[in-house]
Amino acid sequence: MKTVYERADIVPLLAEIFRELGYEGATLSRITERTGIGKGSLYHFFPGGKEEMAAAVLADIDGWFEEAVYRPLRHDDARQAIAAMWTNVNEYFCSGRICLVGAFALDDTRERFSRAIGDYFTRWIDALRLALMRAGCVEEEAQTLAEEGVCGIQGALVLSRALADETVFTRSLETLAMRLEAATR
């Protein structure tokens, strides 16, 4: 029986391939091999080729973060939204995922997707800054703490992966959460 795919079914498969192989390592041959989807079908869904595939993956990640992190930070109860951010980020990344946006920011892919990469980090920092201000931080401190929080998450991802120890990530999130909570008392 032949599997019929929708574009939305393929994006998560592509995300894992890009996470594992990077943009440059994810050749069309490797993508077809790992997904089991022929080149013709891939080009049907992504006429722009690999670049369009990566853009779709970045848009999917952005959508998840908008719903699970940015929007609650901007609109929900500040302290609850910040607490939910730590939980959601821990669940999202603790499955062994690297931050694909962060990984793309570190290599030659950065130029190709600079707007999406920059927007991801800018929106996260800005949403966290706004929540921290609503929780009682002055703007300068909120900006510094928001940058520190996002930097800490990204650094914890790298260290956790380098040491092959997911508990490093979880412990780092707990420490960052305590730091931001203390700043809003």
Side-chain angles (χ1 to χ4, degrees):
M1 180 176 184
K2 187 174 180 174
T3 304
V4 177
Y5 289 98
E6 298 290 328
R7 180 179 163 115
D9 299 327
I10 300 170
V11 172
L13 301 173
L14 294 171
E16 294 312 312
I17 293 167
F18 285 124
R19 278 188 181 95
E20 184 180 338
L21 303 174
Y23 182 81
E24 295 303 327
T27 63
L28 199 53
S29 295
R30 292 176 107 179
I31 292 170
T32 59
E33 174 188 309
R34 291 182 182 228
T35 62
I37 301 169
K39 288 180 184 181
S41 294
L42 286 170
Y43 276 112
H44 169 75
F45 290 116
F46 305 96
K50 184 169 79 166
E51 189 164 328
E52 185 176 343
M53 291 176 204
V57 168
L58 290 172
D60 187 62
I61 292 167
D62 183 71
W64 185 90
F65 272 86
E66 179 62 37
E67 290 299 314
V69 178
Y70 310 153
R71 184 172 291 138
L73 286 171
R74 287 191 305 260
H75 301 293
D76 294 353
D77 174 81
R79 285 183 173 80
Q80 289 177 0
I82 293 168
M85 176 190 75
W86 300 119
T87 300
N88 291 337
V89 166
N90 189 46
E91 289 173 4
Y92 185 82
F93 289 120
C94 247
S95 63
R97 290 179 172 155
I98 64 164
C99 178
L100 186 58
V101 180
F104 278 13
L106 295 174
D107 65 18
D108 292 337
T109 309
R110 174 183 60 250
E111 297 305 317
R112 187 174 271 122
F113 300 105
S114 63
R115 177 173 283 170
I117 292 166
D119 285 351
Y120 169 85
F121 289 112
T122 299
R123 290 173 48 221
W124 192 350
I125 291 166
D126 192 51
L128 183 53
R129 178 186 57 83
L130 292 172
L132 288 164
M133 287 171 52
R134 289 195 328 275
C137 287
V138 296
E139 187 169 1
E140 281 183 22
E141 180 184 24
Q143 179 69 30
T144 300
L145 288 170
E147 290 169 355
E148 181 181 318
V150 174
C151 284
I153 291 166
Q154 294 298 312
L157 284 168
V158 172
L159 186 60
S160 178
R161 187 157 174 95
L163 298 176
D165 183 355
E166 288 181 14
T167 64
V168 169
F169 182 68
T170 302
R171 282 193 313 272
S172 294
L173 288 187
E174 290 168 358
T175 301
L176 288 164
M178 287 187 291
R179 169 131 169 74
L180 269 62
E181 184 179 328
T184 60
R185 286 190 195 143

